[in-house]
Amino acid sequence: MNACASITITPILVADLHVEGERMPVYVHVIDHPDARILVDTGMTELHPAVVAAFDPRLYPLSKQDFDVAGIDIVVNTHLHADHCGGNHLFAGKPIYVQRRELDDAHGEDDYTIREWVDAPGVRYVPVDGELELLPGLRLVPAPGHTAGMQVVVVETGGRPVVVGGDVAVWFGELDEPRTEGQLLARALDPELIWLAHEHEPWRPRGV
């Protein structure tokens, strides 16, 4: 079997947020690759006053689920907003790949994220400058828009690519009518589907 064809992606619900009168899910995604098990984003594991005030979250942390935290080899943060990096501390000592611009903004901009979650003890970032082949068939690609340092994971399985997009779009309409550089880039890949952090199902091109 082609190694790339054996890559699988599994969404895991880790929280939901109260946004504009509705509950919005927060998903992380596990990529099982023949060479490693990769986690894209880490959700949240605890409540914080800033998050509670804004979103009234309900949390389902990976550490409280039937999930093998120790079995993750690599973590990728699409970006460092609190609902995407609040579980980074669970993976202390593991490499966490993030765009250097994103890491700089998280450290330098006020009200950007929760810095103690970004810089939790033992967390080890691998700053990335631009596109990176993380493993065969798996690329990190900058996709600015939601944040300037946003990145997506592009998975090549032998056919059209699959994208793990985090917040490259928050809802499907932003991919149906892309506007940001990251959304336009994701669509230009002609993907089979795009997994998003805040939608229960993956986005697929209309008519497919």
Side-chain angles (χ1 to χ4, degrees), residues 6 13 19-20 43 52-53 55 69 95 110 117 120 129 131 135 144-145 147-148 152 163 182 200 204:
S6 65
L13 181 69
V19 179
E20 296 181 355
V52 171
F55 299 114
V69 170
D110 293 333
W117 290 3
D129 295 302
E131 189 168 325
L135 293 169
T147 71
V152 299
V163 177
H200 291 293
R204 297 176 186 271

Side-chain angles (χ1 to χ4, degrees), residues 25-94:
V26 179
Y27 281 92
V28 301
H29 294 85
V30 177
I31 302 175
D32 284 296
H33 185 283
D35 296 334
R37 197 165 202 231
I38 301 101
L39 178 66
V40 183
D41 292 330
T42 63
M44 296 182 286
T45 64
E46 61 185 285
L47 296 175
H48 185 282
V51 178
V52 171
F55 299 114
D56 184 25
R58 299 171 185 157
L59 305 184
Y60 320 108
L62 292 173
S63 52
K64 300 289 179 66
Q65 299 192 36
D66 182 17
F67 181 83
D68 182 13
V69 170
I72 294 296
D73 302 299
I74 297 169
V75 175
V76 174
N77 280 139
T78 59
H79 62 303
L80 292 171
H81 283 170
D83 55 330
H84 294 259
C85 74
N88 283 10
H89 66 97
L90 298 174
F91 305 95
K94 301 291 178 73

Side-chain angles (χ1 to χ4, degrees), residues 9 19-20 27 29 43 46 51 63 83 99-100 102 105 116 131 144-145 151 157 181-182 189 193 196:
I9 302 168
V19 179
E20 296 181 355
Y27 281 92
H29 294 85
E46 61 185 285
V51 178
S63 52
D83 55 330
Q99 288 290 320
R100 189 182 305 274
E102 183 69 18
D105 287 350
E116 59 263 38
E131 189 168 325
Q151 66 180 353
T157 60
E181 182 180 343
L189 293 168
L193 56 87
L196 299 174

